[in-house]
Amino acid sequence: REFASRSFDLWGFSTICSTYPLTIRIARELKRCHPQSLVMLGGPQASVVDAGTLEAFPFIDFIVRGEADETLPLVVAALPDMRRFRQIPGVTYRSEGSIVRNPDAPVVLDLDKLPMPAFDQYGKLGRCHAVPLELGRGCPFGCRFCSTNSFFRRRFRLKSPARVIEQMRTIHRTYGNTRFELIHDMFTVDRKRVVEFCEALLASGEQFQWNCSARTDCVDDELIALMARAGCASIFFGIETGSARLQRLIGKNLDLHEAASRVACASRHGIGTTVSLITGFPGETRRDMTGSVDFLMDAARFDAVKVQLHLLAPLAGTPMYEQYRGRPGQSDILSDISFHGWRQDSADREMIRAHPEIFPNFYSVPTSLNLGYVKELRDFIQYSVLRHRWLVVALHQDSGGLVKVFDAWLSWLQENRPRRQEAPGAGEAPYYARGEFSRDFLKFVRNRYLRRARNRGALRALLNFELALNRDPPKPGRRTGAPRLAAGVRIMRLGADYHRILDCLRNHEPLATVPASRVLIATREIGNQKVEVSQLSPLSAQLLASCNGENGPKQIARGLRLPKDVAGIPAPKVCLVGLATLRQQGLIE
């Protein structure tokens, strides 16, 4: 409806693998509304399935392949006579009933010459969490599953530090943004250039924060420390597999011990990291998959780490796709393989089934793994770590591996919720994304896992912590002048020292070293998914228990049982100082 009300000579769509079916459907509808307009595709996906796309979908007029910064202006100048495309590299089009595929255009060597993107066309830029800003192109490595080289080729290029900082300053002055997503698959390949960028940013005096991607074998502790000082807030590490054998087979060739060390170093310097792994590779065994899960869970011991586990998507144009071309695996289980938060429309699925060579990323490659099992394992890890990180890490440590816990979970689930995997209704999230998974998981730990746990005391304390967080906090009274718990604050009693348990998990220390003890803690919710935990002294615990919104300070003081270390100080004074401290901590209002 939006496009039907607009009229243009040329419509252009950028394309990526996960949304390509939807892009094609929008383009078809657009051509129906505006049959005289020309429809052009570009971007990574259309570039590698260009000829097949034009053969299958006659409403697509032509495709600009690869880096189009220099090609696209030539294309626009040649319109509307597509016969003039003959001399333009990097274009695929129709001529006299045949598909014509011109030679590839050369890559853009001097990225500094490219103009600033037209950020003024995006009205929400000032509210972006991080502005995406291109840092460079190309990757010198040859991972067999990766499509970067299909699009940018292996010619590694970076913008100069001066150019990047100039663009960051321009955006900051115009829109107020101070955080940037520096886009390049392999920013840290050239260590000298990374040092130059960090030192130039430090010398500029700007207080910008930035995120980037890196290989763990292309950074070291010294470089990470410099990046942190220069404002690096987050690094994406594509580890891909926790199996040393598979590291060689897929061409990634990372040293896993070194990779874990780099994740730990980034965490020590306050840099958040995303640790991403893939499962479903050809030749991958259950042992390989377990190694990947173990690597993820060890990374989850660091507070600022986000973990991701993806199903392998055989991307068009990659060596792995070419090896298994013509032998696509199942698509129904894997319809969300490219982006696990995206749900395909039935029309998308029909198109995917009809044209597997155009949409290969929605299929699988031959593997010995049960892909239905792997998909459910992925969902289990993603959502359980998101909601119950420390309990899940503790289960992993107690059991000797989270895959064992998952198998026990599946058995319990089959007995208690055999119908939970039915397809969700329209607009409804899948089972693992819903609150009922969280509730079921905690029941499983309480009713099944704890019976055989080796470290019941520590696990029970973590479980009670999570159960308390899932209960609605009590509603205090509202009498004027009567202190009450602040919104989002909960008080809970545990059978072991919560902070000591977390220290053991962070440091791979045995949970058996945590003694049983009666501990009272207060939790305070800060923003989305973040909880601050305070272990309470006996006096603080007394005061908080009395802050029910009904009792005033005098009544609270009369009921205080003062500890010996405040002997000689009047109870009302102790009460007022204590309440003021609790208020300062955000625990009461």
Side-chain angles (χ1 to χ4, degrees):
R1 288 193 297 270
E2 175 70 18
F3 290 156
S5 66
R6 301 176 177 219
S7 182
F8 296 97
D9 300 317
L10 175 64
W11 299 77
F13 291 87
S14 187
T15 63
I16 57 175
C17 60
S18 58
T19 54
Y20 201 42
L22 178 59
T23 301
I24 295 288
R25 287 201 294 130
I26 293 173
R28 177 171 56 198
E29 198 62 17
L30 186 149
K31 192 73 168 182
R32 187 182 65 79
C33 298
H34 304 283
Q36 301 308 313
S37 295
L38 294 173
V39 175
M40 162 186 67
L41 301 183
Q45 185 66 12
S47 291
V48 289
V49 294
D50 52 323
T53 297
L54 290 185
E55 289 171 2
F57 305 112
F59 47 87
I60 306 297
D61 294 297
F62 62 94
I63 292 170
V64 179
R65 308 189 314 272
E67 298 177 39
D69 312 84
E70 295 170 351
T71 304
L72 184 55
L74 299 176
V75 167
V76 174
L79 292 174
D81 186 359
M82 280 194 282
R83 289 174 300 181
R84 297 167 62 190
F85 283 5
R86 202 171 298 139
Q87 306 302 319
I88 304 176
V91 182
T92 306
Y93 62 102
R94 296 185 188 87
S95 178
E96 299 178 353
S98 299
I99 306 296
V100 179
R101 195 175 194 275
N102 291 348
D104 290 341
V107 298
V108 179
L109 293 178
D110 188 356
L111 299 180
D112 279 4
K113 290 184 178 179
L114 297 177
M116 172 84 89
F119 285 121
D120 60 292
Q121 297 297 305
Y122 184 61
K124 298 179 181 179
L125 191 74
R127 301 194 295 277
C128 276
H129 172 66
V131 177
L133 194 61
E134 187 180 54
L135 189 66
R137 300 176 182 177
C139 176
F141 296 96
C143 300
R144 292 179 50 76
F145 58 90
C146 181
S147 63
T148 293
N149 289 327
S150 302
F151 192 74
F152 291 121
R153 313 221 271 282
R154 293 179 78 163
R155 190 66 181 267
F156 177 79
R157 293 149 284 152
L158 280 175
K159 290 181 182 177
S160 67
R163 181 62 169 155
V164 177
I165 294 171
E166 173 197 350
Q167 293 190 342
M168 294 167 85
R169 277 175 161 160
T170 299
I171 293 169
H172 173 58
R173 285 196 302 266
T174 308
Y175 306 100
N177 302 80
T178 58
R179 186 159 184 156
F180 298 88
E181 188 80 38
L182 299 184
I183 306 299
H184 192 312
D185 279 5
M186 281 301 119
F187 170 44
T188 58
V189 164
D190 188 336
R191 189 184 193 282
K192 181 180 176 182
R193 296 291 295 274
V194 179
V195 171
E196 288 176 1
F197 171 75
C198 291
E199 290 180 344
L201 197 51
L202 286 167
S204 73
E206 300 287 1
Q207 299 298 309
F208 297 142
Q209 287 191 309
W210 45 278
N211 312 331
C212 68
S213 297
R215 280 178 62 109
T216 53
D217 58 354
C218 291
V219 290
D220 52 58
D221 291 6
E222 184 182 356
L223 184 59
I224 288 173
L226 175 61
M227 291 166 66
R229 290 198 303 274
C232 180
S234 177
I235 303 176
F236 178 93
F237 287 128
I239 308 298
E240 319 311 0
T241 175
S243 160
R245 183 184 74 88
L246 279 185
Q247 282 286 340
R248 296 187 294 274
L249 289 179
I250 66 176
K252 187 77 179 187
N253 297 313
L254 294 180
D255 180 306
L256 291 169
H257 177 75
E258 181 184 59
S261 177
R262 297 295 170 261
V263 173
C265 179
S267 295
R268 285 197 304 271
H269 288 283
I271 298 176
T273 59
T274 298
V275 175
S276 176
L277 284 92
I278 299 171
T279 187
F281 286 109
E284 182 173 359
T285 65
R286 180 180 172 90
R287 183 176 181 179
D288 295 322
M289 179 198 72
T290 300
S292 292
V293 174
D294 289 347
F295 190 98
L296 270 186
M297 295 313 302
D298 283 341
R301 296 173 188 271
F302 299 100
D303 298 70
V305 169
K306 295 178 181 177
V307 297
Q308 295 180 355
L309 181 63
H310 301 282
L311 296 177
L312 176 70
L315 302 178
T318 63
M320 190 167 287
Y321 169 72
E322 294 300 331
Q323 181 180 353
Y324 296 98
R325 190 170 190 166
R327 290 191 282 159
Q330 58 196 17
S331 66
D332 286 345
I333 284 180
L334 305 167
S335 62
D336 64 350
I337 194 168
S338 301
F339 181 66
H340 61 256
W342 182 268
R343 292 176 63 196
Q344 303 296 330
D345 187 274
S346 58
D348 295 335
R349 288 172 174 264
E350 183 179 339
M351 192 182 295
I352 290 165
R353 281 193 289 268
H355 302 284
E357 74 287 353
I358 297 176
F359 310 104
N361 51 288
F362 294 99
Y363 290 81
S364 63
V365 293
T367 177
S368 61
L369 299 176
N370 179 324
L371 290 175
Y373 173 92
V374 171
K375 180 178 183 294
E376 191 162 355
L377 171 64
R378 180 201 65 182
D379 291 345
F380 173 82
I381 291 173
Q382 293 283 160
Y383 290 105
S384 65
V385 172
L386 179 67
R387 293 175 175 173
H388 310 290
R389 174 185 292 250
W390 293 113
L391 177 58
V392 177
V393 171
L395 293 174
H396 167 72
Q397 180 163 313
D398 181 80
S399 65
L402 193 66
V403 173
K404 296 177 184 177
V405 178
F406 177 67
D407 289 339
W409 156 258
L410 287 182
S411 173
W412 181 89
L413 204 55
Q414 185 59 38
E415 296 169 11
N416 293 272
R417 293 291 303 275
R419 296 169 60 85
R420 91 287 176 191
Q421 286 293 73
E422 291 183 350
E428 188 179 18
Y431 169 71
Y432 282 94
R434 300 199 298 265
E436 60 187 293
F437 159 64
S438 184
R439 293 189 291 272
D440 287 346
F441 175 68
L442 296 179
K443 287 179 187 175
F444 156 75
V445 175
R446 182 181 60 199
N447 299 336
R448 172 71 59 88
Y449 187 87
L450 275 180
R451 295 177 186 173
R452 288 173 273 181
R454 288 182 290 180
N455 299 281
R456 290 185 191 174
L459 284 169
R460 185 173 285 110
L462 290 174
L463 173 64
N464 288 337
F465 177 85
E466 297 292 342
L467 288 169
L469 282 185
N470 274 293
R471 287 193 291 268
D472 291 331
K475 293 183 178 180
R478 293 276 171 177
R479 191 167 72 81
T480 302
R484 58 183 178 271
L485 295 184
V489 170
R490 291 176 172 85
I491 309 300
M492 54 188 79
R493 192 177 299 279
L494 303 179
D497 186 322
Y498 181 79
H499 292 295
R500 175 74 183 113
I501 295 172
L502 265 55
D503 285 342
C504 286
L505 294 175
R506 290 185 179 110
N507 299 312
H508 287 260
E509 295 174 1
L511 289 172
T513 61
V514 181
S517 59
R518 297 185 67 186
V519 175
L520 202 66
I521 64 172
T523 66
R524 184 165 68 103
E525 294 177 15
I526 308 171
N528 188 29
Q529 299 288 346
K530 189 172 181 182
V531 176
E532 184 182 82
V533 181
S534 303
Q535 198 149 300
L536 301 173
S537 67
L539 181 57
S540 294
Q542 276 193 72
L543 286 169
L544 278 176
S546 303
C547 292
N548 57 12
E550 298 291 344
N551 299 329
K554 290 182 180 179
Q555 292 171 287
I556 294 173
R558 282 198 293 270
L560 277 184
R561 298 184 304 279
L562 294 181
K564 293 178 181 178
D565 56 357
V566 293
I569 302 174
K573 190 168 186 177
V574 172
C575 178
L576 287 174
V577 172
L579 292 174
T581 302
L582 293 173
R583 184 180 182 185
Q584 191 176 29
Q585 293 172 341
L587 297 177
I588 65 170
E589 56 190 30

